[in-house]
Amino acid sequence: GTLIGVWAFPSVAMALAVPALMEKFTARVVMMIGIFGFVCVSSLLGLSDPSARDSIGWALPLEVGGYAQWALQVFLGLALGSSSIFGWTPVLPVMMEKAAEHVVRTQGV
């Protein structure tokens, strides 16, 4: 459960920091950073599983259930939380506006 929930912590912190970042960079740049980070971290997370050697021919040399594997996966969970917020937060205002417009148009509210 820890590995699943650990990425909630940076998500909350980064959701507060991303709007300030968008004052210095465009939403596109912030989203690209988030998407690139998410791809890199997801790839490393997959390679931290020793069974990746069977499917793609290579895996990180980690002992199954060892301290290094667990620590890497916790770190990658934190990095996933951060990068997903960079990719998601800039889009939220536009999505909310489109949803509200759709409700007004279809429901007459």
Side-chain angles (χ1 to χ4, degrees):
T2 302
L3 288 177
I4 301 297
V6 75
W7 70 319
F9 296 108
S11 295
V12 172
M14 291 296 172
L16 300 173
V18 168
L21 241 136
M22 288 180 53
E23 292 176 6
K24 298 182 184 207
F25 303 102
T26 65
R28 182 178 299 213
V29 169
V30 174
M31 288 173 55
M32 293 292 283
I33 291 169
I35 291 169
F36 180 74
F38 198 83
V39 167
C40 291
V41 172
S42 297
S43 299
L44 283 174
L45 188 60
L47 291 173
S48 71
D49 181 5
S51 67
R53 186 170 290 122
D54 298 335
S55 58
I56 63 172
W58 192 80
L60 294 173
L62 300 171
E63 176 187 343
V64 177
Y67 176 77
Q69 183 185 30
W70 190 85
L72 176 65
Q73 289 177 349
V74 168
F75 170 76
L76 293 175
L78 293 170
L80 270 175
S82 300
S83 60
S84 67
I85 291 303
F86 277 96
W88 176 251
T89 303
V91 182
L92 267 168
V94 175
M95 289 177 59
M96 292 300 292
E97 185 177 328
K98 295 285 184 188
E101 288 173 359
H102 176 73
V103 169
V104 168
R105 189 174 57 251
T106 60
Q107 304 297 320
V109 176

XYZ file of all heavy atoms in Angstrom:
807
model
N 0.801 -1.188 0.000
C 0.000 0.000 0.000
C 0.850 1.262 0.000
O 0.450 2.278 -0.557
N 2.011 1.201 0.629
C 2.867 2.382 0.705
C 3.313 2.818 -0.682
O 3.293 4.008 -0.999
C 4.108 2.101 1.577
O 3.662 1.713 2.870
C 4.983 3.323 1.700
N 3.708 1.855 -1.510
C 4.173 2.206 -2.854
C 3.065 2.831 -3.689
O 3.320 3.668 -4.547
C 4.730 0.977 -3.567
C 6.058 0.463 -3.054
C 6.459 -0.800 -3.802
C 7.133 1.510 -3.171
N 1.831 2.432 -3.461
C 0.716 2.985 -4.218
C 0.388 4.396 -3.744
O 0.120 5.287 -4.546
C -0.531 2.081 -4.075
C -0.249 0.672 -4.558
C -1.731 2.681 -4.790
C 0.096 0.559 -6.016
N 0.412 4.617 -2.434
C -0.020 5.896 -1.887
C 1.049 6.962 -1.758
O 0.728 8.128 -1.539
N 2.323 6.595 -1.913
C 3.399 7.544 -1.643
C 3.387 8.735 -2.604
O 3.810 9.816 -2.247
C 4.776 6.834 -1.635
C 5.234 6.490 -3.036
C 5.814 7.674 -0.928
N 2.856 8.570 -3.785
C 2.919 9.673 -4.735
C 1.846 10.724 -4.494
O 1.814 11.759 -5.138
C 2.966 9.171 -6.156
C 1.739 8.533 -6.727
C 0.894 7.686 -6.128
C 1.273 8.691 -8.055
N -0.068 7.300 -6.996
C 0.141 7.903 -8.193
C 1.719 9.427 -9.153
C -0.574 7.831 -9.369
C 1.010 9.343 -10.329
C -0.116 8.556 -10.423
N 0.965 10.505 -3.505
C -0.025 11.528 -3.158
C 0.629 12.729 -2.477
O 0.169 13.861 -2.653
C -1.095 10.932 -2.246
N 1.692 12.516 -1.737
C 2.327 13.612 -1.004
C 2.901 14.686 -1.925
O 2.598 15.865 -1.772
C 3.399 13.073 -0.044
C 2.819 12.196 1.024
C 3.034 10.834 1.000
C 2.036 12.731 2.036
C 2.489 10.013 1.976
C 1.486 11.928 3.010
C 1.707 10.556 2.989
N 3.728 14.335 -2.902
C 4.227 15.396 -3.782
C 3.130 15.963 -4.681
O 3.226 17.110 -5.112
C 5.315 14.716 -4.613
C 4.984 13.281 -4.579
C 4.350 13.051 -3.234
N 2.090 15.192 -4.936
C 1.003 15.697 -5.766
C 0.356 16.915 -5.125
O 0.088 17.910 -5.793
C -0.058 14.617 -5.993
O 0.469 13.560 -6.732
N 0.112 16.841 -3.837
C -0.514 17.959 -3.137
C 0.426 19.165 -3.117
O 0.025 20.285 -3.421
C -0.907 17.551 -1.699
C -1.379 18.745 -0.903
C -1.972 16.469 -1.743
N 1.687 18.937 -2.779
C 2.643 20.047 -2.715
C 2.860 20.687 -4.079
O 2.875 21.916 -4.211
C 3.970 19.549 -2.147
N 3.008 19.878 -5.101
C 3.267 20.409 -6.443
C 2.039 21.094 -7.030
O 2.166 22.019 -7.820
C 3.740 19.309 -7.381
C 5.104 18.802 -7.057
S 6.307 20.129 -7.286
C 7.738 19.350 -6.634
N 0.847 20.648 -6.651
C -0.370 21.303 -7.147
C -0.423 22.751 -6.682
O -1.007 23.604 -7.352
C -1.605 20.546 -6.683
N 0.210 23.043 -5.556
C 0.276 24.426 -5.076
C 1.409 25.202 -5.737
O 1.335 26.421 -5.873
C 0.458 24.433 -3.553
C -0.661 23.753 -2.761
C -0.291 23.679 -1.295
C -1.982 24.470 -2.959
N 2.447 24.509 -6.166
C 3.615 25.177 -6.748
C 3.485 25.411 -8.249
O 4.047 26.369 -8.776
C 4.874 24.355 -6.471
N 2.758 24.571 -8.947
C 2.685 24.673 -10.412
C 2.079 25.995 -10.886
O 2.594 26.591 -11.832
C 1.945 23.449 -11.005
C 1.590 23.669 -12.459
C 2.814 22.217 -10.864
N 1.016 26.522 -10.263
C 0.506 27.816 -10.736
C 1.550 28.937 -10.686
O 1.604 29.778 -11.583
C -0.667 28.104 -9.802
C -1.141 26.754 -9.394
C 0.115 25.932 -9.283
N 2.398 28.928 -9.675
C 3.467 29.940 -9.603
C 4.473 29.729 -10.724
O 4.994 30.695 -11.284
C 4.159 29.864 -8.245
N 4.734 28.483 -11.057
C 5.651 28.180 -12.159
C 5.088 28.651 -13.490
O 5.820 29.068 -14.380
C 5.885 26.673 -12.226
C 7.321 26.256 -12.026
C 7.383 25.082 -11.094
C 7.914 25.898 -13.350
N 3.762 28.589 -13.622
C 3.135 28.985 -14.877
C 3.175 30.494 -15.091
O 2.916 30.963 -16.188
C 1.705 28.461 -14.940
C 1.684 26.960 -15.141
S 0.042 26.254 -15.218
C -0.728 27.235 -16.469
N 3.510 31.242 -14.059
C 3.708 32.679 -14.231
C 5.042 32.964 -14.909
O 5.212 34.003 -15.529
C 3.633 33.387 -12.882
C 2.249 33.358 -12.278
C 2.200 33.973 -10.905
O 3.228 34.530 -10.449
O 1.134 33.883 -10.271
N 5.985 32.028 -14.809
C 7.317 32.205 -15.402
C 7.467 31.469 -16.723
O 8.252 31.863 -17.568
C 8.388 31.722 -14.425
C 8.392 32.519 -13.149
C 9.470 32.074 -12.210
C 9.297 32.881 -10.940
N 10.454 33.065 -10.199
N 6.725 30.374 -16.902
C 6.803 29.572 -18.120
C 5.399 29.397 -18.685
O 4.420 29.525 -17.967
C 7.405 28.189 -17.829
C 8.764 28.229 -17.212
C 8.935 28.023 -15.857
C 9.884 28.478 -17.989
C 10.190 28.055 -15.280
C 11.149 28.522 -17.422
C 11.299 28.309 -16.061
N 5.321 29.052 -19.936
C 4.014 28.796 -20.532
C 3.482 27.447 -20.047
O 4.244 26.593 -19.591
C 4.096 28.778 -22.070
O 4.911 27.665 -22.475
C 4.673 30.063 -22.619
N 2.177 27.269 -20.167
C 1.559 26.004 -19.765
C 2.130 24.852 -20.580
O 2.331 23.753 -20.068
C 0.045 26.090 -19.940
N 2.427 25.120 -21.838
C 2.980 24.070 -22.708
C 4.324 23.568 -22.184
O 4.587 22.368 -22.155
C 3.136 24.594 -24.127
C 3.656 23.564 -25.092
C 3.732 24.118 -26.468
N 2.385 24.494 -26.864
C 1.906 24.445 -28.086
N 2.692 24.065 -29.059
N 0.687 24.781 -28.362
N 5.187 24.484 -21.749
C 6.506 24.093 -21.229
C 6.348 23.273 -19.948
O 6.992 22.232 -19.779
C 7.388 25.341 -20.983
C 8.639 24.989 -20.208
C 7.738 26.010 -22.298
N 5.484 23.731 -19.053
C 5.270 23.015 -17.794
C 4.725 21.612 -18.071
O 5.170 20.629 -17.480
C 4.320 23.803 -16.871
C 3.972 23.007 -15.632
C 4.943 25.139 -16.479
N 3.777 21.505 -19.010
C 3.215 20.202 -19.345
C 4.253 19.296 -19.987
O 4.294 18.092 -19.704
C 2.011 20.370 -20.268
C 0.806 20.937 -19.557
S -0.551 21.340 -20.663
C -0.804 19.804 -21.500
N 5.091 19.838 -20.849
C 6.131 19.024 -21.489
C 7.111 18.479 -20.450
O 7.531 17.325 -20.537
C 6.873 19.843 -22.542
C 6.017 20.223 -23.726
S 5.569 18.829 -24.731
C 7.075 18.578 -25.612
N 7.471 19.301 -19.478
C 8.342 18.840 -18.395
C 7.672 17.688 -17.652
O 8.295 16.660 -17.362
C 8.686 19.999 -17.435
C 9.603 21.001 -18.128
C 9.316 19.475 -16.148
C 9.778 22.293 -17.364
N 6.398 17.853 -17.348
C 5.664 16.810 -16.636
C 5.561 15.521 -17.423
O 5.772 14.431 -16.885
N 5.244 15.623 -18.696
C 5.095 14.420 -19.520
C 6.433 13.718 -19.699
O 6.525 12.492 -19.589
C 4.459 14.782 -20.872
C 3.007 15.195 -20.654
C 4.546 13.620 -21.854
C 2.350 15.829 -21.847
N 7.491 14.491 -19.949
C 8.817 13.896 -20.094
C 9.239 13.203 -18.793
O 9.743 12.079 -18.810
C 9.840 14.966 -20.493
C 11.224 14.434 -20.659
C 11.557 13.675 -21.767
C 12.195 14.691 -19.705
C 12.843 13.166 -21.920
C 13.483 14.191 -19.844
C 13.801 13.433 -20.962
N 9.014 13.864 -17.675
C 9.351 13.256 -16.383
C 8.558 11.997 -16.129
O 9.093 10.989 -15.651
N 7.270 12.012 -16.456
C 6.422 10.848 -16.244
C 6.887 9.657 -17.076
O 6.926 8.529 -16.597
C 4.970 11.196 -16.575
C 3.977 10.234 -16.011
C 3.546 10.352 -14.701
C 3.480 9.200 -16.780
C 2.634 9.466 -14.164
C 2.566 8.300 -16.253
C 2.141 8.437 -14.949
N 7.267 9.918 -18.320
C 7.760 8.842 -19.193
C 9.056 8.247 -18.639
O 9.209 7.024 -18.553
C 7.962 9.359 -20.635
C 8.761 8.379 -21.471
C 6.621 9.640 -21.284
N 9.979 9.108 -18.238
C 11.268 8.626 -17.708
C 11.075 7.822 -16.429
O 11.643 6.733 -16.274
C 12.199 9.802 -17.449
S 12.761 10.626 -18.934
N 10.279 8.350 -15.507
C 10.078 7.672 -14.225
C 9.326 6.356 -14.423
O 9.657 5.342 -13.803
C 9.342 8.602 -13.239
C 8.950 7.875 -11.986
C 10.225 9.790 -12.899
N 8.325 6.348 -15.302
C 7.585 5.116 -15.566
C 8.502 4.042 -16.146
O 8.395 2.861 -15.797
C 6.430 5.372 -16.527
O 5.507 6.253 -15.957
N 9.403 4.445 -17.021
C 10.351 3.489 -17.600
C 11.264 2.911 -16.531
O 11.494 1.691 -16.492
C 11.189 4.170 -18.683
O 10.370 4.639 -19.709
N 11.777 3.761 -15.660
C 12.642 3.270 -14.580
C 11.879 2.373 -13.619
O 12.428 1.388 -13.118
C 13.259 4.442 -13.823
C 14.411 5.137 -14.521
C 14.843 6.372 -13.739
C 15.588 4.189 -14.671
N 10.624 2.699 -13.361
C 9.821 1.862 -12.474
C 9.647 0.466 -13.072
O 9.751 -0.538 -12.374
C 8.464 2.512 -12.220
C 7.579 1.849 -11.166
C 8.284 1.830 -9.817
C 6.261 2.583 -11.061
N 9.398 0.403 -14.366
C 9.286 -0.896 -15.028
C 10.584 -1.676 -14.987
O 10.589 -2.893 -14.789
N 11.702 -0.977 -15.163
C 12.996 -1.653 -15.152
C 13.437 -2.071 -13.753
O 14.359 -2.869 -13.603
C 14.064 -0.753 -15.780
C 13.919 -0.542 -17.280
C 14.926 0.493 -17.762
C 14.084 -1.850 -18.028
N 12.794 -1.524 -12.705
C 13.161 -1.915 -11.345
C 12.590 -3.292 -10.985
O 12.956 -3.869 -9.976
C 12.684 -0.871 -10.332
O 11.269 -0.901 -10.208
N 11.718 -3.818 -11.826
C 11.176 -5.164 -11.632
C 12.091 -6.162 -12.348
O 12.255 -6.082 -13.562
C 9.763 -5.232 -12.204
C 9.130 -6.597 -12.025
O 9.731 -7.471 -11.372
O 8.020 -6.779 -12.547
N 12.686 -7.096 -11.622
C 13.598 -8.053 -12.259
C 12.959 -8.874 -13.380
O 13.661 -9.360 -14.262
C 14.046 -8.955 -11.111
C 13.859 -8.137 -9.889
C 12.657 -7.266 -10.176
N 11.643 -9.037 -13.381
C 11.005 -9.804 -14.450
C 11.011 -9.045 -15.780
O 10.675 -9.613 -16.816
C 9.578 -10.190 -14.067
O 8.758 -9.044 -13.977
N 11.424 -7.776 -15.768
C 11.546 -7.022 -17.023
C 12.589 -7.665 -17.929
O 12.503 -7.548 -19.150
C 11.925 -5.569 -16.743
N 13.546 -8.341 -17.344
C 14.584 -9.017 -18.132
C 13.962 -10.055 -19.070
O 14.405 -10.233 -20.196
C 15.600 -9.668 -17.198
C 16.786 -10.267 -17.901
C 17.873 -10.676 -16.928
N 18.468 -9.458 -16.375
C 18.514 -9.168 -15.064
N 18.030 -9.997 -14.188
N 19.049 -8.056 -14.636
N 12.896 -10.708 -18.622
C 12.231 -11.719 -19.448
C 11.491 -11.098 -20.628
O 11.445 -11.671 -21.704
C 11.237 -12.526 -18.613
C 11.925 -13.286 -17.489
O 13.134 -13.590 -17.618
O 11.244 -13.570 -16.485
N 10.906 -9.919 -20.428
C 10.083 -9.342 -21.491
C 10.838 -8.397 -22.415
O 10.584 -8.393 -23.617
C 8.869 -8.622 -20.886
O 9.297 -7.616 -20.005
N 11.749 -7.589 -21.876
C 12.465 -6.636 -22.743
C 13.958 -6.907 -22.840
O 14.656 -6.223 -23.569
C 12.220 -5.174 -22.325
C 12.757 -4.899 -20.924
C 10.774 -4.803 -22.436
C 12.723 -3.438 -20.544
N 14.438 -7.866 -22.087
C 15.836 -8.254 -22.205
C 16.794 -7.517 -21.298
O 17.987 -7.764 -21.323
N 16.281 -6.591 -20.475
C 17.166 -5.854 -19.571
C 16.388 -5.402 -18.352
O 15.199 -5.088 -18.441
C 17.757 -4.643 -20.283
C 18.877 -4.005 -19.533
C 20.171 -4.429 -19.494
C 18.816 -2.859 -18.696
N 20.911 -3.611 -18.679
C 20.100 -2.631 -18.179
C 17.798 -2.011 -18.319
C 20.391 -1.592 -17.318
C 18.088 -0.962 -17.453
C 19.377 -0.760 -16.975
N 17.032 -5.359 -17.210
C 16.423 -4.870 -15.975
C 17.526 -4.290 -15.107
O 18.708 -4.603 -15.284
C 15.705 -5.993 -15.239
N 17.152 -3.432 -14.199
C 18.131 -2.896 -13.251
C 18.616 -4.035 -12.359
O 17.821 -4.889 -11.956
C 17.492 -1.792 -12.404
C 17.086 -0.534 -13.162
C 16.307 0.407 -12.243
C 18.307 0.179 -13.707
N 19.905 -4.068 -12.038
C 20.438 -5.177 -11.232
C 20.102 -5.017 -9.755
O 20.937 -4.670 -8.930
C 21.949 -5.085 -11.479
C 22.183 -3.638 -11.772
C 20.943 -3.151 -12.473
N 18.829 -5.275 -9.419
C 18.366 -5.128 -8.043
C 17.921 -6.486 -7.503
O 17.328 -7.285 -8.209
C 17.192 -4.153 -7.973
C 17.467 -2.733 -8.451
C 16.170 -1.947 -8.546
C 18.437 -2.046 -7.516
N 18.184 -6.708 -6.220
C 17.743 -7.931 -5.561
C 16.241 -7.840 -5.311
O 15.737 -6.814 -4.835
C 18.485 -8.072 -4.228
C 18.057 -9.244 -3.408
C 18.710 -9.238 -2.036
O 19.705 -8.525 -1.836
O 18.199 -9.967 -1.168
N 15.519 -8.900 -5.634
C 14.064 -8.905 -5.444
C 13.733 -8.720 -3.966
O 14.236 -9.447 -3.116
C 13.449 -10.226 -5.967
C 11.951 -10.259 -5.699
C 13.729 -10.397 -7.435
N 12.930 -7.710 -3.670
C 12.530 -7.438 -2.294
C 13.615 -6.814 -1.447
O 13.444 -6.643 -0.242
N 14.731 -6.454 -2.061
C 15.836 -5.861 -1.314
C 15.588 -4.393 -0.984
O 14.683 -3.742 -1.505
N 16.421 -3.877 -0.092
C 16.308 -2.486 0.334
C 16.467 -1.528 -0.848
O 15.716 -0.560 -0.975
C 17.349 -2.178 1.411
C 17.344 -0.723 1.832
C 16.358 -0.250 2.690
C 18.299 0.162 1.359
C 16.325 1.075 3.073
C 18.280 1.492 1.729
C 17.304 1.951 2.585
O 17.276 3.266 2.947
N 17.410 -1.785 -1.732
C 17.661 -0.879 -2.863
C 16.451 -0.838 -3.798
O 16.062 0.238 -4.261
C 18.903 -1.317 -3.633
N 15.846 -1.990 -4.046
C 14.675 -2.020 -4.917
C 13.521 -1.246 -4.282
O 12.859 -0.446 -4.937
C 14.242 -3.455 -5.192
C 13.067 -3.547 -6.149
C 12.545 -4.959 -6.335
O 12.631 -5.776 -5.422
N 12.015 -5.234 -7.500
N 13.295 -1.451 -3.008
C 12.203 -0.774 -2.317
C 12.448 0.732 -2.279
O 11.543 1.525 -2.563
C 12.060 -1.334 -0.905
C 10.816 -0.861 -0.227
C 9.584 -1.410 -0.325
C 10.692 0.261 0.644
N 8.688 -0.693 0.424
C 9.345 0.339 1.031
C 11.580 1.211 1.129
C 8.859 1.316 1.880
C 11.091 2.200 1.971
C 9.750 2.239 2.347
N 13.664 1.148 -1.929
C 13.984 2.579 -1.853
C 13.831 3.246 -3.221
O 13.301 4.359 -3.326
C 15.400 2.770 -1.313
N 14.282 2.573 -4.275
C 14.145 3.130 -5.621
C 12.675 3.278 -5.990
O 12.268 4.301 -6.549
C 14.861 2.242 -6.643
C 14.712 2.685 -8.103
C 15.394 4.031 -8.328
C 15.268 1.637 -9.045
N 11.875 2.287 -5.661
C 10.465 2.362 -6.005
C 9.741 3.453 -5.215
O 8.850 4.117 -5.743
C 9.800 0.998 -5.826
C 10.252 0.023 -6.885
C 9.671 -1.361 -6.713
O 9.079 -1.681 -5.686
N 9.845 -2.204 -7.713
N 10.114 3.684 -3.971
C 9.526 4.790 -3.200
C 9.939 6.122 -3.818
O 9.103 7.013 -4.023
C 9.937 4.717 -1.716
C 9.584 5.999 -0.985
C 9.275 3.527 -1.044
N 11.212 6.270 -4.147
C 11.676 7.494 -4.795
C 10.944 7.721 -6.113
O 10.511 8.832 -6.422
C 13.189 7.443 -5.035
C 13.677 8.561 -5.904
C 13.808 9.841 -5.394
C 13.970 8.342 -7.234
C 14.231 10.885 -6.203
C 14.398 9.367 -8.056
C 14.524 10.648 -7.532
N 10.798 6.659 -6.903
C 10.110 6.792 -8.190
C 8.632 7.111 -8.002
O 8.037 7.830 -8.803
C 10.288 5.525 -9.020
C 11.722 5.251 -9.488
C 11.799 3.903 -10.193
C 12.239 6.355 -10.376
N 8.021 6.613 -6.930
C 6.632 6.972 -6.621
C 6.502 8.455 -6.333
O 5.567 9.121 -6.796
N 7.456 8.999 -5.575
C 7.458 10.438 -5.306
C 7.660 11.227 -6.596
O 7.008 12.248 -6.834
C 8.553 10.782 -4.290
C 8.346 10.228 -2.885
C 9.607 10.424 -2.059
C 7.160 10.888 -2.218
N 8.544 10.756 -7.451
C 8.799 11.435 -8.728
C 7.588 11.331 -9.660
O 7.285 12.281 -10.390
C 10.042 10.840 -9.389
N 6.870 10.197 -9.626
C 5.656 10.060 -10.438
C 4.602 11.074 -10.006
O 3.938 11.686 -10.846
C 5.074 8.654 -10.309
C 5.548 7.613 -11.289
C 4.961 6.255 -10.929
C 5.193 7.974 -12.700
N 4.450 11.234 -8.694
C 3.486 12.209 -8.186
C 3.814 13.618 -8.641
O 2.937 14.376 -9.063
N 5.080 13.954 -8.593
C 5.500 15.303 -9.013
C 5.304 15.511 -10.505
O 4.736 16.511 -10.932
C 6.975 15.528 -8.666
O 7.171 15.400 -7.288
N 5.738 14.560 -11.293
C 5.667 14.757 -12.741
C 4.234 14.713 -13.256
O 3.892 15.437 -14.192
C 6.535 13.725 -13.467
O 6.101 12.418 -13.190
N 3.386 13.910 -12.640
C 2.001 13.870 -13.110
C 1.294 15.195 -12.846
O 0.480 15.632 -13.659
C 1.239 12.720 -12.456
O 1.074 12.948 -11.076
N 1.616 15.846 -11.760
C 1.003 17.143 -11.469
C 1.487 18.202 -12.446
O 0.718 19.064 -12.880
C 1.280 17.551 -10.007
C 0.498 16.635 -9.070
C 0.929 18.995 -9.753
C -0.996 16.612 -9.298
N 2.759 18.153 -12.829
C 3.262 19.100 -13.827
C 2.531 18.928 -15.156
O 2.307 19.888 -15.878
C 4.766 18.924 -14.050
C 5.611 19.635 -13.053
C 6.109 18.970 -11.957
C 5.912 20.975 -13.208
C 6.897 19.619 -11.025
C 6.698 21.639 -12.288
C 7.189 20.965 -11.190
N 2.176 17.709 -15.478
C 1.476 17.459 -16.734
C -0.015 17.701 -16.665
O -0.668 17.930 -17.676
N -0.593 17.671 -15.465
C -2.036 17.719 -15.315
C -2.562 19.090 -14.895
O -3.579 19.554 -15.425
C -2.423 16.664 -14.279
C -3.855 16.624 -13.909
C -4.395 17.017 -12.719
C -4.952 16.166 -14.703
N -5.751 16.825 -12.730
C -6.114 16.299 -13.954
C -5.055 15.662 -15.993
C -7.365 15.943 -14.429
C -6.303 15.312 -16.465
C -7.437 15.456 -15.691
N -1.920 19.754 -13.968
C -2.444 20.998 -13.401
C -2.667 22.103 -14.431
O -3.688 22.780 -14.360
C -1.520 21.500 -12.265
O -1.414 20.461 -11.287
C -2.072 22.732 -11.601
N -1.772 22.322 -15.411
C -2.030 23.382 -16.385
C -3.293 23.163 -17.217
O -3.881 24.107 -17.733
C -0.789 23.370 -17.283
C 0.275 22.769 -16.448
C -0.431 21.764 -15.582
N -3.745 21.918 -17.336
C -4.896 21.598 -18.172
C -6.215 21.770 -17.411
O -7.259 22.004 -18.010
C -4.780 20.144 -18.687
C -5.920 19.779 -19.595
C -3.464 19.934 -19.379
N -6.169 21.677 -16.094
C -7.385 21.680 -15.297
C -8.308 22.876 -15.534
O -9.516 22.683 -15.712
C -7.034 21.587 -13.813
C -7.019 20.172 -13.283
C -6.395 20.127 -11.906
C -8.404 19.599 -13.241
N -7.833 24.118 -15.528
C -8.761 25.246 -15.734
C -9.498 25.168 -17.067
O -10.699 25.447 -17.130
C -7.855 26.484 -15.671
C -6.659 26.055 -14.910
C -6.480 24.595 -15.227
N -8.815 24.783 -18.116
C -9.445 24.678 -19.435
C -10.496 23.569 -19.427
O -11.600 23.735 -19.965
C -8.379 24.422 -20.525
C -9.017 24.179 -21.870
C -7.410 25.578 -20.587
N -10.166 22.434 -18.795
C -11.121 21.327 -18.732
C -12.371 21.717 -17.953
O -13.494 21.384 -18.354
C -10.463 20.104 -18.093
C -9.434 19.444 -18.979
S -8.607 18.061 -18.190
C -9.961 16.993 -17.812
N -12.200 22.427 -16.844
C -13.352 22.857 -16.044
C -14.222 23.836 -16.831
O -15.449 23.761 -16.785
C -12.867 23.498 -14.741
C -12.219 22.524 -13.796
S -13.304 21.186 -13.272
C -14.472 22.076 -12.289
N -13.598 24.748 -17.556
C -14.341 25.714 -18.357
C -15.136 25.005 -19.458
O -16.317 25.304 -19.674
C -13.378 26.728 -18.970
C -14.070 27.838 -19.716
C -13.082 28.853 -20.249
O -12.041 29.070 -19.612
O -13.366 29.419 -21.317
N -14.505 24.067 -20.148
C -15.195 23.315 -21.210
C -16.363 22.513 -20.631
O -17.435 22.442 -21.240
C -14.229 22.373 -21.929
C -13.136 23.079 -22.679
C -13.676 23.696 -23.937
C -12.527 24.317 -24.711
N -12.968 25.091 -25.830
N -16.166 21.894 -19.472
C -17.232 21.120 -18.844
C -18.404 22.024 -18.457
O -19.567 21.675 -18.675
C -16.707 20.383 -17.617
N -18.101 23.191 -17.894
C -19.163 24.135 -17.521
C -19.913 24.626 -18.753
O -21.149 24.724 -18.736
C -18.568 25.304 -16.750
N -19.194 24.922 -19.814
C -19.842 25.355 -21.067
C -20.759 24.261 -21.597
O -21.867 24.543 -22.065
C -18.803 25.714 -22.114
C -18.070 27.006 -21.841
C -16.914 27.245 -22.814
O -16.676 26.377 -23.712
O -16.237 28.271 -22.667
N -20.305 23.016 -21.520
C -21.120 21.895 -21.998
C -22.395 21.757 -21.169
O -23.487 21.554 -21.734
C -20.306 20.604 -21.941
C -21.081 19.390 -22.317
N -21.440 19.127 -23.631
C -21.602 18.396 -21.565
C -22.138 18.005 -23.668
N -22.248 17.534 -22.423
N -22.286 21.882 -19.856
C -23.468 21.782 -18.995
C -24.443 22.904 -19.301
O -25.655 22.681 -19.419
C -23.061 21.788 -17.500
C -24.280 21.961 -16.604
C -22.314 20.508 -17.148
N -23.951 24.111 -19.472
C -24.827 25.245 -19.780
C -25.512 25.027 -21.138
O -26.713 25.251 -21.287
C -24.018 26.572 -19.793
C -24.819 27.705 -20.400
C -23.585 26.914 -18.374
N -24.747 24.543 -22.101
C -25.296 24.345 -23.444
C -26.322 23.211 -23.479
O -27.373 23.327 -24.109
C -24.148 24.051 -24.420
C -24.562 24.040 -25.873
C -23.381 23.900 -26.839
N -22.590 22.694 -26.591
C -21.357 22.681 -26.066
N -20.753 23.815 -25.753
N -20.719 21.556 -25.870
N -26.064 22.104 -22.788
C -26.952 20.953 -22.880
C -28.071 20.957 -21.842
O -29.156 20.469 -22.107
C -26.164 19.641 -22.758
O -25.492 19.620 -21.493
C -25.175 19.483 -23.885
N -27.808 21.506 -20.691
C -28.815 21.486 -19.599
C -29.541 22.823 -19.439
O -30.523 22.889 -18.715
C -28.138 21.109 -18.268
C -27.386 19.819 -18.283
C -28.276 18.621 -18.539
O -29.379 18.554 -18.021
N -27.813 17.687 -19.343
N -28.981 23.866 -20.023
C -29.595 25.185 -19.884
C -29.473 25.765 -18.489
O -30.267 26.579 -18.070
N -28.464 25.327 -17.767
C -28.280 25.814 -16.386
C -27.581 27.147 -16.405
O -26.685 27.420 -17.103
C -27.465 24.796 -15.554
C -27.192 25.335 -14.171
C -28.179 23.483 -15.500
